[in-house]
Amino acid sequence: MGSSSSSYAPKTIYLDVDGKVQKVGPNPVQTLFMCPPFSLLPPSRHNRNTAIMMVDPEGALVSIDPTMPTNSPKAFRINELKTEVTNRLAMLEKRVELEGLKVVEIERCKNDLKKLRDEMTSRGGGRVNCPCKYNFDDGKKVTPRRDVPNYPKYTLSQETIEALKKPTFDVWHWEHNEMLSCLEYMYHDLGLVKEFNMNPITLKRWLVNTNYRNNPFHNFRHCFCVSQMMYGMIHLCNLQEKLTLTDMGILMTAAVCHDLDHPGYNNTYQINARTELAVRYNDISPLENHHCAVAFQILSLPECNIFANVDPEAFKQIRQAIITLILATDMARHGEILDSFKQKVDNFDFTNEEHVTCLKMVLIKCCDISNEVRPTEVAEPWVDCLLEEYFMQSDREKSEGLPVAPFMDRDKVTKPTAQIGFIKFVLIPMFETVMKLFPQIEEIMVQPLRDSRDHYEELKQIDDAMTEVEPILKKASLALSSTSKAYKLKVHYVVLVQYI
């Protein structure tokens, strides 16, 4: 039974006797009623006409006799609330259980995907995909820098402006922002901004967003080299007088975009490794098709569309012409394109659209592989950059069990052997063919190629001589080493005899 030390506070108790409610106040004799509800006298001890009631904290009468029905409205409301709370708790518990299962499943799927990715990477050396900066399968667009580009406006000196028009321009002395300003100047100088009614801010933003990867060779500086050489050839060959401004806009824009998002591994690797690009483009110029796709994905953004004010029909033709030029940079098509140009060059007609298109394809090819036209101190570092990229690819091909081209194998190629064949059989024949149409390029472009060929042939002769002499030097070294040992033995023998 309870006592004054009970944890339950005294309660006011009422007895319903024969329909009359009587209050039983707490007092020492009534400590019995200070116990919790339903710990009172058992039902068998109650008078059948007596109902035991108590007052709840809100002042309502509540029956505390489990054998008696509760006829108080408050009692009914409490039961309803209890039922509702119980039901809601059950629903919440079920929901939490379901959500918990979902979380578990999601985490399990994430772990499975991670294991699968790691397994594929370890098995295939990571060559299942050749990662590209732009992915066209997920429907996402590149996010351009929408603010006004913050690279400073450089005021080019007259000396720089003149140098930009020549193949001797040294591209190694310029920072990224300076090269952007030079490209911007070229578009203004050629009258392209006015011709296409370009917003100058849009031109700036487009140039900023035509980003290249940080490859040893196929990077933004290479893009600038090709674009600057195109600008130089336009001036050197007086193309402003022979071609339309639209043609020059196509040439310059194709040069800027021709290697966008290049991954550093050529088409041969893409096809042999069955990369995502090779699969997407069915092994047909996968890189060049990718460069085109990225170029027009960027141009499709209003913030970067330098052709936004061009008539839609005219833009369609410009787009097709740019695609044609970028696809022409695939060296697998070199022979086909050069042969086509050779057939036209002797009777070239600048009013013939087919002739002009072929010329533009040859021009972008010349600019793309024109490093050896430049002075030796400018050209030779590019050879080192190219070989570094070649070796990076051949090392990967070896690790993946793919065929390796001899001219990319670090164990077989040297700088002279890499350049001589390329200059003799690719560069000189192509530039000499262009020279038939534009004789003025011989001194400033063709002759440097011949000089470069002679330079590397001399280096090769030195390398060959060293290769022949090396075994002789090795034998001489061994002989000297043996003589030295014999002399030492003789000295030791003499000393020993003297000692004895």
Side-chain angles (χ1 to χ4, degrees), residues 91-324:
M91 288 174 61
L92 286 171
E93 286 174 357
K94 188 173 183 180
R95 183 175 174 184
V96 168
E97 183 180 359
L98 290 173
E99 293 296 330
L101 288 173
K102 287 181 183 177
V103 171
V104 171
E105 288 298 320
I106 290 170
E107 289 300 319
R108 187 179 300 158
C109 287
K110 284 182 180 178
N111 291 334
D112 290 344
L113 283 172
K114 185 176 183 303
K115 288 179 183 177
L116 181 61
R117 188 182 296 111
D118 293 343
E119 184 179 352
M120 290 170 70
T121 302
S122 61
R123 287 183 179 181
R127 70 174 176 87
V128 175
N129 288 315
C130 187
C132 296
K133 191 175 181 180
Y134 303 106
N135 189 339
F136 301 101
D137 295 331
D138 58 7
K140 292 181 181 177
K141 296 274 189 180
V142 281
T143 303
R145 292 168 58 172
R146 297 173 183 271
D147 55 334
V148 177
N150 58 5
Y151 67 85
K153 175 72 175 178
Y154 294 98
T155 302
L156 303 182
S157 67
Q158 192 59 38
E159 181 183 1
T160 299
I161 289 171
E162 291 304 316
L164 271 175
K165 299 174 182 177
K166 300 174 183 177
T168 53
F169 185 82
D170 191 346
V171 297
W172 295 108
H173 290 168
W174 301 84
E175 298 295 332
H176 185 88
N177 286 342
E178 294 172 324
M179 290 187 284
L180 288 172
S181 285
C182 287
L183 288 171
E184 184 185 356
Y185 170 80
M186 295 174 199
Y187 270 76
H188 282 278
D189 179 60
L190 291 172
L192 304 180
V193 175
K194 184 177 180 180
E195 173 67 16
F196 297 107
N197 193 19
M198 294 181 189
N199 182 332
I201 299 301
T202 302
L203 174 62
K204 279 176 172 283
R205 194 179 290 114
W206 173 69
L207 289 170
V208 167
N209 280 280
T210 51
N211 290 326
Y212 280 70
R213 299 196 195 187
N214 292 323
N215 298 316
F217 184 89
H218 291 99
N219 49 40
F220 180 73
R221 194 175 297 276
H222 168 68
C223 154
F224 177 72
C225 270
V226 176
S227 304
Q228 184 271 323
M229 187 63 74
M230 181 66 77
Y231 177 71
M233 289 195 77
I234 287 173
H235 283 282
L236 185 61
C237 301
N238 297 317
L239 293 180
Q240 301 101 315
E241 300 174 5
K242 298 175 174 66
L243 300 179
T244 66
L245 280 171
T246 298
D247 286 327
M248 286 188 286
I250 290 166
L251 284 168
M252 287 301 300
T253 305
V256 171
C257 298
H258 83 284
D259 270 335
L260 276 173
D261 197 40
H262 195 296
Y265 300 92
N266 68 13
N267 280 332
T268 301
Y269 174 82
Q270 305 296 326
I271 294 168
N272 289 339
R274 299 190 295 277
T275 64
E276 180 185 348
L277 289 181
V279 172
R280 180 184 299 141
Y281 297 113
N282 303 309
D283 296 347
I284 302 171
S285 303
L287 288 180
E288 289 71 26
N289 274 295
H290 179 61
H291 304 326
C292 292
V294 173
F296 284 97
Q297 187 187 24
I298 295 171
L299 284 170
S300 70
L301 301 168
E303 299 83 0
C304 301
N305 188 2
I306 57 176
F307 300 114
N309 297 320
V310 173
D311 176 78
E313 192 59 35
F315 175 74
K316 191 182 296 184
Q317 295 176 7
I318 291 170
R319 167 178 156 79
Q320 187 54 56
I322 292 173
I323 290 172
T324 298

Side-chain angles (χ1 to χ4, degrees), residues 321-368:
I322 292 173
I323 290 172
T324 298
L325 296 197
I326 294 177
L327 292 180
T329 61
D330 184 356
M331 287 303 295
R333 299 182 58 202
H334 177 76
E336 162 209 336
I337 294 169
L338 186 57
D339 288 344
S340 176
F341 184 64
K342 284 178 178 179
Q343 293 170 12
K344 300 174 178 62
V345 71
D346 292 331
N347 300 293
F348 196 87
D349 182 2
F350 280 96
T351 63
N352 185 314
E353 185 179 346
E354 184 182 347
H355 284 209
V356 171
T357 298
C358 190
L359 171 62
K360 289 188 292 185
M361 294 167 73
V362 170
L363 287 174
I364 195 169
K365 284 176 60 58
C366 286
C367 296
D368 188 24

Side-chain angles (χ1 to χ4, degrees), residues 78-96:
I78 289 175
N79 289 336
E80 289 172 2
L81 287 172
K82 283 175 62 179
T83 303
E84 183 180 352
V85 169
T86 303
N87 291 339
R88 290 187 65 182
L89 280 174
M91 288 174 61
L92 286 171
E93 286 174 357
K94 188 173 183 180
R95 183 175 174 184
V96 168

